[in-house]
Each structure stands twice: as structure tokens, then as C-alpha cells.
Amino acid sequence: MEHRTIKSWAIDDRPREKLIAKGKTLLSNAELIAILIGSGNRSESAVALSQRILQSVNDNLSELAKLPLEQLTKFNGIGEAKAIAIITGLELGKRRQLETALEKPKITSSKDVCNLMQPIIGDLAHEEFWVLFLNNSNKVLAKNQISKGGLTATIVDVRLLFKKALEMAAVGILVCHNHPSGKLQPSISDKQLTQKIKEAGFTLDIKLLDHLIITEKAYFSFADEGIL
């Protein structure tokens, strides 16, 4: 028995034709993935296979995006090429989200910072420390990764941080880092680092506006909690 390709299905079951006739928004996640992989296996259609893959991650696209190629190819009917197609499609979606966030670079609240940075560091398996450099209108001049660490910590060179701030002629900065553990509460070292950055900024007349701890689904703001 041959693999069941999309072309061999009844017209009503073809997601490509459905997209053309009814629009992309009416397609389910499984149907969109089915278009990416093109065919299923000997016993199930591309849509059925896509549904099974999604069920393995509780229908969560963010979790699906984390699956490595080796894990995707364990599904019957998913070879290297199809696995790469899925990974590529999800990565493009993530990059589009990043571009959308950059369309409104003015910061008015901690939520704005989270919207900008969560797609970048929220789901990482290691810690990263980033700085947003702002002008006097609270518009983001640039954002930079200052350091990259292990599972539980990252080392931050405050001198390097403010060197970049001076180069950007920034009047304010926002700092943020992720907690791969998912825990939002700041550690003692998080609090000490925040104070160190705040004091250095005071000397240089560059105000630390906030420090955010970001996880995949939430964030903690030092400013909102009144501990900055």
C-alpha cells in the first residue's frame, strides 16, 4: 500500500484546497502541519499523522517547536526531510512573532518588555541576560545579550553593560533574564545584581527602569513589585 498523499484525498479532506477555497484561518494546526509534510504513512493520512504528533505535546505548538529532529523522526512516516519542514515552519512562526514585537518598540509597562523578550528567552534551557537601551521617549534603541550561562546562573559584567549604554547614548535601561526552572521569584544574587546595576546607573545618570525575570508563561517585574 502506498503512502497516502494529499493529492489522493477527497477534495473536502485536502487542506491545500481548503486553504485556497476558505482561507488559512479556517485550517487547524494539524491541517497546516499536514501541508508542510505532504503525506502520511501506510496507515494514516498526513492530517491524522499531524494530529498524533500534536497530541504527543498536548496540542501545544511551543512544545512541538522544542522537539529535536531526532525525536520527530521517531514518528512513523516522518523522515528527516519532513522533520526539517516542521522545524522550519515553526521557526518562521517564531521569527514572525519577534518581528511583530519589534513593530512597537516603545516601552510603557513591564508587559511591553515581556512581549518583546519572552519569544527570545522565555523557552530557553539555559539562562541569558539581556539589556534594552532606551532613549528619553522610552523607545528601544537596541537590545543586547550581555551574557549566556548555564541552567541556573549567568555572570554579568556591569562595566560592559554600561559601556554599551554610553555608546547608544541611552538615558534608561531595562534588564531581563530567564529562569529555565520556571520559578519566578528572584534569588539573592538577582537582587544583589539589580542593586549593583542601579547604583552604577545612578553614577552615570542612566536610570535602571526595571529588571524582569521571564519564563515561558509568565514574568516577574522588580519595578511592579516595588523592590527596584
Side-chain angles (χ1 to χ4, degrees):
M1 185 178 180
E2 295 181 356
H3 286 203
R4 299 180 60 194
T5 63
I6 288 177
K7 201 170 183 179
S8 69
W9 304 348
I11 292 294
D12 289 343
D13 295 329
R14 296 183 192 172
R16 291 175 186 164
E17 280 76 1
K18 182 176 177 180
L19 186 150
I20 294 170
K22 299 181 180 180
K24 60 190 178 183
T25 57
L26 292 183
L27 270 68
S28 67
N29 290 338
E31 288 172 323
L32 291 171
I33 293 171
I35 292 174
L36 289 175
I37 65 176
S39 63
N41 54 44
R42 293 181 183 275
S43 61
E44 59 189 345
S45 68
V47 172
L49 174 56
S50 299
Q51 287 172 336
R52 187 158 59 87
I53 293 170
L54 282 168
Q55 286 168 3
S56 75
V57 291
N58 297 316
D59 296 314
N60 188 313
L61 289 177
S62 294
E63 291 301 316
L64 180 59
K66 295 178 186 177
L67 295 185
L69 185 145
E70 295 78 13
Q71 195 165 338
L72 285 169
T73 54
K74 289 180 180 178
F75 290 94
N76 182 23
I78 300 295
E80 186 176 271
K82 290 181 182 179
I84 289 172
I86 293 172
I87 291 169
T88 302
L90 291 167
E91 178 62 21
L92 282 171
K94 181 178 179 179
R95 293 186 185 189
R96 180 177 182 271
Q97 186 181 5
L98 291 175
E99 288 184 357
T100 300
L102 287 172
E103 288 172 5
K104 298 179 179 179
K106 185 172 183 177
I107 302 299
T108 60
S109 67
S110 59
K111 183 63 176 175
D112 291 338
V113 183
C114 180
N115 290 340
L116 185 63
M117 295 303 301
Q118 201 167 44
I120 300 174
I121 64 174
D123 62 354
L124 296 180
H126 60 271
E127 276 200 16
E128 290 188 3
F129 191 96
W130 285 66
V131 182
L132 276 62
F133 304 99
L134 277 60
N135 64 14
N136 57 6
S137 298
N138 280 353
K139 289 188 177 181
V140 178
L141 299 170
K143 62 183 188 302
N144 287 106
Q145 179 198 94
I146 297 297
S147 66
K148 179 178 177 180
L151 295 174
T152 59
T154 180
I155 298 172
V156 177
D157 187 334
V158 176
R159 293 171 301 176
L160 177 61
L161 188 161
F162 281 102
K163 178 177 181 292
K164 291 182 179 293
L166 292 168
E167 290 172 354
M168 296 285 176
V171 300
I173 58 171
L174 291 153
V175 299
C176 57
H177 74 281
N178 62 308
H179 276 183
S181 66
K183 294 180 180 179
L184 285 173
Q185 289 303 312
S187 65
I188 293 174
S189 60
D190 289 337
K191 294 177 180 178
Q192 290 174 339
L193 176 60
T194 304
Q195 190 61 29
K196 187 176 181 180
I197 294 171
K198 180 180 177 180
E199 291 174 358
F202 181 79
T203 302
L204 295 170
D205 200 24
I206 299 174
K207 187 174 183 180
L208 174 62
L209 301 172
D210 203 351
H211 182 177
L212 268 68
I213 296 170
I214 296 174
T215 65
E216 187 174 2
K217 297 180 180 179
Y219 71 93
F220 178 96
S221 162
F222 277 67
D224 291 352
E225 298 298 324
I227 58 173
L228 186 62

